[in-house]
């Protein structure tokens, strides 16, 4: 069965304290991995797509990497405005995304 | 705006009532998806349209759930005879074509069944 597991469930960081979020997956024939950010009361906001092992993408303080079994979202010198839930997802079959349960990140000033 | 628009943002209904949730996707997006999100969980797939054709409805939890997209643009998710377990946030997403393209989400409809 295709599964996506995210860890940790919650993470509290001090402003400037770098860390990484993990997304592990078991999908046959990976056709991409998506990272999203979700703020309270909002829909998920697209961040990155990764398609092959070894690929990396960056946006401001965020960098996403992909291996054959997992993806990491590295957050460098985070700020309070980076506080949100971060979701990863993989396409299953030809259509829908299967999401992990997310990591709730809190960055304290 | 150019994003996915959903209405209403909040809906409160009594158990047994029917509700209809609307999604207006990004113009030109062929694919449209509905997801259900419980508190503290990631979105779960409900159904998928390519233009006006509903190609996958495997995630709909019961035959009380019905979705349509008659002209290949706006979509409506209807829930008949609502039950308390239907309380959740219902998210709509659209993409240019297929699930390999990034899906762009609306802000959802928070449904509460009393």
């Amino acid at each position: 069965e295709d599964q996506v597991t995210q860890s940790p469930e919650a993470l509290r960081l001090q402003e400037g304290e770098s860390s990484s979020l993990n997304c592990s997956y078991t999908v046959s024939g990976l056709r991409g991995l998506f990272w999203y950010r979700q703020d309270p009361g909002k829909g998920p906001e697209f961040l990155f797509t990764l398609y092959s092992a070894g690929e990396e993408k960056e946006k401001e303080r965020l960098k996403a990497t992909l291996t054959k079994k997992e993806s990491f979202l590295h957050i460098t010198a985070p700020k309070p405005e980076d506080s949100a839930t971060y979701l990863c997802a993989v396409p299953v079959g030809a259509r829908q995304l299967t999401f992990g349960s997310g990591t709730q990140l809190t960055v304290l000033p | 705006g150019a994003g996915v628009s959903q209405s209403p943002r909040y809906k409160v209904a009594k158990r047994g009532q029917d509700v209809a949730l609307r999604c207006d996707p990004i113009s030109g997006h062929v694919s449209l998806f509905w997801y259900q999100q419980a508190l503290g969980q990631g979105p779960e797939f409900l159904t998928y349209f390519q233009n006006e054709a509903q190609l996958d409805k495997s995630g709909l939890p019961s035959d009380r759930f019905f979705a349509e997209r008659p002209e290949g643009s706006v979509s409506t998710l209807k829930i008949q005879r609502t039950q308390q377990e239907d309380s959740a946030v219902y998210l709509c997403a659209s993409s240019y074509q297929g699930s390999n393209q990034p899906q762009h989400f609306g802000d959802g409809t928070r449904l509460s069944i009393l």
Side-chain angles (χ1 to χ4, degrees), chain A residues 48-84:
Chain A
F48 304 110
T49 309
L50 302 167
Y51 286 106
S52 57
E55 188 176 0
E56 298 183 354
K57 290 202 175 164
E58 289 189 60
K59 180 180 179 180
E60 296 181 355
R61 295 175 293 281
L62 301 176
K63 182 169 78 172
T65 62
L66 182 65
T67 72
K68 288 186 179 180
K69 294 185 177 181
E70 57 192 349
S71 178
F72 293 94
L73 185 65
H74 307 278
I75 304 176
T76 302
K79 298 182 178 181
E81 54 261 42
D82 295 322
S83 297

Side-chain angles (χ1 to χ4, degrees), chain A residues 31 36 41 51 95-96, chain B residues 9 37 45 48 99-100 103:
Chain A
R31 291 173 291 109
Y36 285 85
Y51 286 106
R95 304 168 183 98
Q96 70 265 35
Chain B
R9 288 296 321 277
Q37 187 173 26
F45 170 78
Y48 160 68
S99 66
N100 288 11
Q103 294 181 23

Side-chain angles (χ1 to χ4, degrees), chain B:
Chain B
V4 177
S5 178
Q6 292 188 245
S7 61
R9 288 296 321 277
Y10 304 92
K11 177 69 178 178
V12 179
K14 293 182 179 179
R15 188 175 55 183
Q17 289 184 328
D18 299 347
V19 298
L21 313 180
R22 175 189 169 104
C23 172
D24 203 335
I26 293 172
S27 178
H29 276 193
V30 169
S31 301
L32 185 146
F33 305 82
W34 284 97
Y35 292 84
Q36 181 188 63
Q37 187 173 26
L39 191 64
Q41 300 296 315
E44 292 193 359
F45 170 78
L46 294 176
T47 188
Y48 160 68
F49 290 85
Q50 184 167 312
N51 295 307
E52 69 278 2
Q54 188 175 20
L55 299 186
D56 190 339
K57 53 182 180 179
S58 62
L60 295 177
S62 77
D63 58 7
R64 296 184 296 103
F65 286 71
F66 172 76
E68 60 183 7
R69 193 186 185 197
E71 298 179 356
S73 179
V74 171
S75 177
T76 304
L77 177 67
K78 298 179 180 178
I79 309 173
Q80 298 176 325
R81 306 181 304 280
T82 52
Q83 301 178 3
Q84 285 192 322
E85 59 262 33
D86 299 335
S87 296
V89 175
Y90 291 85
L91 295 165
C92 176
S94 68
S95 69
Y96 180 67
Q97 186 150 359
S99 66
N100 288 11
Q101 298 295 320
Q103 294 181 23
H104 299 275
F105 285 79
D107 286 337
T109 295
R110 181 175 296 277
L111 176 64
S112 298
I113 305 300
L114 305 178

